[in-house]
Amino acid sequence: MKLHVFNAKAQHLRQIEDGVVSTIETDTEQTVQSLIINDTFCQILAAQMPVKQARQIIKALPFALEEQLANEIDYNHIHYIGREGVEAYALVVENKAMDVITAQFQPDSVQYLPLLLPQIEQGVCVCILDGVASVRASKFSALSVPPEILSNVLEKLKTDNCNIVEFYDFDNDHALLPLEIENLGFEVHQPKKEDLLQIITKSSAGYPWNLLSGTHTKKKAPVATKQSLSLIHI
């Protein structure tokens, strides 16, 4: 199974296959099956939502998130992903970014890298790739940040029940970060990168929060009928 990781600042796609990351240039249009966003233009926002029915939450959530958005509601694609307690969570991407992604790559699924990382018992998973740090703290607590502010983000997550960081640096350019994280009181583990790639691949296969929803739902190709097939041969 091939996965493709997209970062708007990079001039390439990352391809994940058989536990290996490789690079593919993006100077031409190409079709991919699963496109994974690795960028800060995608984020997870949360708002208190007293209603419990998913249909009602989907209708009300954009207005509950309005003050957290960088621009008008209509400029954003807001995809409800679930709730914990009274908090409802949504993936948020600007519509124009979704339009560019779908036009260029025509994917069957658009996923968010932080939500593909494993949930660590009493800890956090961090993956740095193409100058973006993806962080997964719980089922819906996940975000993308510049590595320069990663320590500040982790410091806010530190509790007695959150004191482990699994750290993966695919850029091989942040050797001091594990030391900074240890100084915050975390126990830092650095497992094999291949292990994380296998987890991401497995998570992608069962990923439930495809961003191709609402107005961005991919249209299915028309089913060929006997009449349409006969027209082809005329």
Side-chain angles (χ1 to χ4, degrees):
M1 180 179 181
K2 293 181 181 179
L3 304 178
H4 295 87
V5 184
F6 173 77
N7 180 300
K9 297 182 180 67
Q11 299 301 312
H12 55 256
L13 282 177
R14 295 288 193 175
Q15 179 175 287
I16 300 175
E17 185 179 20
D18 298 329
V20 177
V21 177
S22 57
T23 300
I24 301 176
E25 297 302 320
T26 58
D27 53 349
T28 58
E29 290 188 4
Q30 52 195 295
T31 300
V32 303
Q33 184 174 4
S34 296
L35 188 70
I36 301 169
I37 296 175
N38 171 42
D39 211 312
T40 56
F41 69 73
C42 183
Q43 59 183 327
I44 295 176
L45 298 180
Q48 289 192 355
M49 191 65 56
V51 296
K52 295 183 178 180
Q53 292 185 354
R55 184 178 298 180
Q56 292 178 320
I57 293 174
I58 291 170
K59 288 182 178 180
L61 193 53
F63 303 99
L65 296 173
E66 186 171 10
E67 292 185 358
Q68 301 179 54
L69 299 175
N71 47 31
E72 298 296 326
I73 291 176
D74 291 343
Y75 292 163
N76 295 278
H77 177 49
I78 300 173
H79 181 82
Y80 171 61
I81 59 175
R83 60 177 290 149
E84 286 185 335
V86 297
E87 294 284 319
Y89 296 82
L91 280 165
V92 179
V93 186
E94 286 193 6
N95 282 313
K96 62 181 180 181
M98 288 295 298
D99 290 340
V100 170
I101 288 172
T102 53
Q104 184 171 2
F105 301 109
Q106 301 174 38
D108 294 324
S109 175
V110 176
Q111 307 175 5
Y112 184 44
L113 181 57
L115 288 176
L116 294 171
L117 302 181
Q119 297 179 61
I120 308 302
E121 186 175 355
Q122 294 189 330
V124 180
C125 183
V126 173
C127 169
I128 301 179
L129 176 65
D130 287 332
V132 178
S134 295
V135 180
R136 181 84 180 272
S138 65
K139 183 176 182 179
F140 299 126
S141 177
L143 65 160
S144 303
V145 297
E148 293 77 17
I149 67 170
L150 176 62
S151 293
N152 293 335
V153 170
L154 293 177
E155 186 174 16
K156 295 177 181 178
L157 294 173
K158 178 75 171 66
T159 66
D160 292 339
N161 295 319
C162 180
N163 50 32
I164 297 172
V165 171
E166 277 197 6
F167 183 84
Y168 302 86
D169 180 12
F170 287 89
D171 291 350
N172 295 317
D173 196 30
H174 306 279
L176 295 180
L177 266 178
L179 297 177
E180 291 182 18
I181 297 170
E182 285 182 347
N183 288 336
L184 296 175
F186 284 99
E187 179 181 330
V188 178
H189 300 167
Q190 298 187 62
K192 294 180 180 179
K193 297 172 186 175
E194 294 82 0
D195 294 343
L196 180 63
L197 295 177
Q198 296 290 353
I199 291 171
I200 289 173
T201 300
K202 184 177 180 179
S203 297
S204 177
Y207 187 85
W209 304 301
N210 184 0
L211 277 163
L212 295 182
S213 61
T215 58
H216 299 286
T217 301
K218 186 172 183 178
K219 296 181 180 179
K220 295 182 179 180
V223 177
T225 64
K226 289 183 179 180
Q227 183 177 3
S228 64
L229 289 172
S230 65
L231 291 173
I232 294 173
H233 298 288
I234 293 176

